[in-house]
Amino acid sequence: MPSGISPKALKGLLAGNSQLALIDVREAGEYNSSHIPGASLIARRNLEFQLPAAVPCKGVSVVVCDDDGRRAALAATTLERMGYTRVSVLEGGINGWVSQDLPTEWGSNVPSKDFGEKMEVVHQVPEIDATELHRRMERGDKLVILDTRTPEEHRRFCIPGGRSLPGGELALRITDITKDLEPDTTVLVHCAGRTRSIVGARMLQRMGLTNVYGLKNGTSGWVLAGYQLETGSDRIELPEPSPEGRAAAEACATRWATEDGVRYLDIPSLQTLLGKGDRETVYLIDVRTQKEYQGGHIPGFRWFPGGQAVQRADDVAVVKNSAIVFCCDGKARATFTASWYRQMGFQEVYAVEGGATAWVANGLALQQGLTEPSPFGLEQAREKVRLLSPRQLQTSPDPIGVVIFVDTSQDFARGHVPGAHWVPRGWLEFRIGDLVPSKDTAIAVTCSDGLGSSLAGATLSELGYRSVSVLDGGMAAWQRVGFAVEKGLSGVMTPPTDVVLAGPDRSYADMMNYLRWEE
């Protein structure tokens, strides 16, 4: 049975040096509104999917929390089923924490955002705003606009004429991009808001480039200034680094490692550290592009591109006071990412000397592909329910009393089986009784891809519902067949609090509030 932990005791643990994971199991919107400093968000519905990578050592101390302790108690039981041996539930949840006048904060990825804002002030990172950029564009000034977000974000919307150069790749490839530019060319770095712009501009500033600026407030600032974003950009191919470009990046990396306290691991030392994984948490992060990672990576390393690793430090290093090892194909990208982590205050940070190339040179094999492990308990869950194809659900001779959808409200609004009810998986045990009071009612469970619905179906069987079916393949399979889809928040009577909108999906007011929060 999971034990309880008082707010005072948790406060002491968070201030200590032992390995600890504080997991907030509410939904993203709830977490964004208010959470305990140091808590990482893994919504209850995602535990079986995300926790093995987030907390790889099952003997580490894990504290789970929510608003009042109800969902956290169920989440703790899931963790114990998954093999975690030191699980505690925050007594009274965040409500109890606040009642003792202990601090909270709001927003997501707060440590990284805080770091970026401080960096801008301390190092006087230069910026121009959207109006000034538009004026320069209209005037025909020489500009290179670099988008440090992911290629997927860039393709969806970007500053007109910008090219994709994710932050983790910036220092490795900037020499080749700028070597033929005229001296009066302005290099502008941007993201959706502020952090990745600031980090990218500071990186180039530190490499000695001049006439470099961050775009104040990124694409959000561009929209708020009344300008149109470009959609569908295909400028996402990254230039292959030349020997000169790579040498320049590696020279900077060597200097940064010395200045920022990044330690290097040779392959034997890495193997020694890997051997500690069953006793303590060691994060192994490959920061290269997805294509490179899929082509071959050191076994045990997971893919988290460098720019995103800096943007989302609390998602990368969920267990406090853990070792973090970054890897690339040489040392530049791993060192730059490790350097940012050292500047953020992480203590035990390493880069693999020579990266995947050195691993091969030592006669060791790389692992290929980008495989996502199955969620914990998926196969057992599917044995407890009846799997229905879309056609079987549509034409089932056995009447289905209720169809439910268990993913997020945003997923539900994008498309659900006509007549389905939204019952989010994180709240399933608490809400299903009001919707389906009789355990004899036949229930069909749906979601986006058939994974979360299978786990939810097993939960319903454990609750005593005697006729539980799951739409195999979820709404993706339903739509492939061409069956009718209902869209919008049909039947949802109160505003959902599970999703945080981003980028241009935000209203103007939300954009302004978000940017003010970042500052």
Side-chain angles (χ1 to χ4, degrees):
M1 286 289 292
S3 59
I5 183 170
S6 69
K8 182 178 179 181
L10 175 59
K11 179 185 176 185
L13 284 179
L14 288 169
N17 296 319
S18 60
Q19 291 197 345
L20 167 72
L22 173 58
I23 309 294
D24 192 320
V25 300
R26 297 173 300 160
E27 296 293 336
E30 298 173 276
Y31 175 89
N32 191 71
S33 295
S34 180
H35 61 265
I36 298 171
S40 291
L41 170 66
I42 304 180
R44 185 185 168 217
R45 60 185 170 81
N46 288 329
L47 288 172
E48 293 92 342
F49 298 80
Q50 297 179 5
L51 201 67
V55 187
C57 178
K58 293 186 176 179
V60 74
S61 178
V62 182
V63 178
V64 289
C65 66
D66 63 354
D67 51 351
D68 59 10
R70 292 184 298 159
R71 283 175 287 173
L74 294 173
T77 300
T78 299
L79 264 62
E80 291 192 332
R81 286 184 179 179
M82 295 175 71
Y84 292 90
T85 57
R86 298 172 59 199
V87 182
S88 303
V89 175
L90 176 61
E91 295 170 353
I94 295 171
N95 297 346
W97 176 272
V98 170
S99 71
Q100 296 191 23
D101 294 324
L102 295 171
T104 60
E105 61 191 17
W106 73 277
S108 301
N109 303 124
V110 174
S112 299
K113 305 292 185 181
D114 181 58
F115 171 64
E117 294 301 324
K118 288 177 179 175
M119 181 190 303
E120 182 186 46
V121 173
V122 171
H123 299 290
Q124 299 180 350
V125 179
E127 287 183 316
I128 61 174
D129 62 20
T131 302
E132 173 61 21
L133 173 59
H134 189 265
R135 184 181 299 117
R136 295 188 185 196
M137 293 168 75
E138 291 283 293
R139 203 165 56 207
D141 288 8
K142 297 170 187 142
L143 296 166
V144 173
I145 301 173
L146 303 176
D147 185 345
T148 63
R149 301 171 300 156
T150 65
E152 293 76 17
E153 290 175 282
H154 175 83
R155 188 182 292 110
R156 187 180 175 207
F157 59 87
C158 65
I159 302 298
R163 64 176 296 175
S164 176
L165 187 60
E169 305 297 316
L170 191 58
L172 178 63
R173 304 172 196 271
I174 192 63
T175 297
D176 295 323
I177 288 174
T178 59
K179 64 182 179 182
D180 296 325
L181 296 180
E182 295 182 37
D184 58 345
T185 301
T186 296
V187 177
L188 184 83
V189 180
H190 85 84
C191 63
R194 298 180 52 80
T195 304
R196 287 174 286 181
S197 300
I198 295 168
V199 170
R202 171 57 183 158
M203 177 181 285
L204 299 187
Q205 182 189 55
R206 195 175 178 188
M207 291 181 74
L209 275 73
T210 57
N211 208 17
V212 173
Y213 296 87
L215 175 61
K216 184 175 182 179
N217 298 333
T219 56
S220 296
W222 185 262
V223 170
L224 289 172
Y227 306 124
Q228 292 293 315
L229 293 169
E230 179 185 351
T231 60
S233 167
D234 59 1
R235 297 180 296 275
I236 59 175
E237 289 299 318
L238 297 175
E240 186 64 28
S242 68
E244 296 78 14
R246 187 177 293 275
E250 300 229 335
C252 282
T254 300
R255 175 167 57 86
W256 286 24
T258 300
E259 293 173 356
D260 299 334
V262 176
R263 289 174 277 180
Y264 285 108
L265 293 173
D266 59 18
I267 299 305
S269 299
L270 172 61
Q271 290 176 304
T272 299
L273 194 60
L274 291 175
K276 297 181 179 180
D278 60 342
R279 303 187 303 276
E280 59 186 73
T281 301
V282 179
Y283 288 110
L284 308 168
I285 310 296
D286 191 316
V287 299
R288 298 175 296 164
T289 66
Q290 182 174 342
K291 182 178 179 181
E292 290 175 285
Y293 179 85
Q294 287 180 295
H297 56 271
I298 299 175
F301 277 74
R302 62 175 169 141
W303 177 60
F304 217 119
Q308 292 302 97
V310 175
Q311 164 88 346
R312 297 167 51 195
D314 54 333
D315 294 331
V316 172
V318 172
V319 179
K320 316 303 174 193
N321 306 309
S322 299
I324 310 172
V325 182
F326 294 106
C327 174
C328 59
D329 60 342
K331 73 176 184 180
R333 287 175 284 181
T335 302
F336 291 132
T337 310
S339 165
W340 294 123
Y341 269 65
R342 285 288 297 145
Q343 293 175 68
M344 278 190 274
F346 291 88
Q347 297 300 310
E348 195 174 357
V349 182
Y350 303 93
V352 179
E353 182 81 53
T357 305
W359 184 266
V360 172
N362 276 262
L364 300 167
L366 297 175
Q367 182 178 349
Q368 294 185 329
L370 185 66
T371 56
E372 291 290 335
S374 293
F376 174 84
L378 179 63
E379 293 307 315
Q380 298 91 322
R382 289 168 71 87
E383 292 173 358
K384 296 179 181 179
V385 298
R386 183 167 60 117
L387 298 175
L388 296 179
S389 69
R391 197 166 301 280
Q392 287 173 319
L393 177 57
Q394 176 83 315
T395 62
S396 175
D398 300 321
I400 301 294
V402 176
V403 179
I404 66 172
F405 184 93
V406 297
D407 278 349
T408 69
S409 61
Q410 194 171 52
D411 295 321
F412 180 75
R414 289 192 185 107
H416 52 270
V417 173
H421 300 265
W422 179 51
V423 185
R425 184 173 169 237
W427 285 99
L428 184 62
E429 292 90 337
F430 303 103
R431 297 184 179 176
I432 193 64
D434 291 336
L435 179 65
V436 190
S438 172
K439 300 292 177 68
D440 292 323
T441 302
I443 303 176
V445 190
T446 66
C447 69
S448 299
D449 56 14
L451 300 179
S453 53
S454 295
L455 297 169
T459 297
L460 292 174
S461 294
E462 292 170 2
L463 290 173
Y465 286 91
R466 287 178 275 278
S467 179
V468 180
S469 303
V470 169
L471 175 59
D472 198 13
M475 289 305 298
W478 181 269
Q479 290 178 292
R480 280 196 300 270
V481 175
F483 287 150
V485 170
E486 187 174 20
K487 296 186 177 182
L489 294 174
S490 50
V492 179
M493 304 306 294
T494 57
T497 60
D498 63 320
V499 173
V500 179
L501 298 178
D505 294 328
R506 294 187 176 104
S507 67
Y508 288 145
D510 285 342
M511 281 188 199
M512 287 186 281
N513 287 333
Y514 174 77
L515 294 170
R516 287 168 177 163
W517 166 77
E518 282 199 306
E519 291 190 85

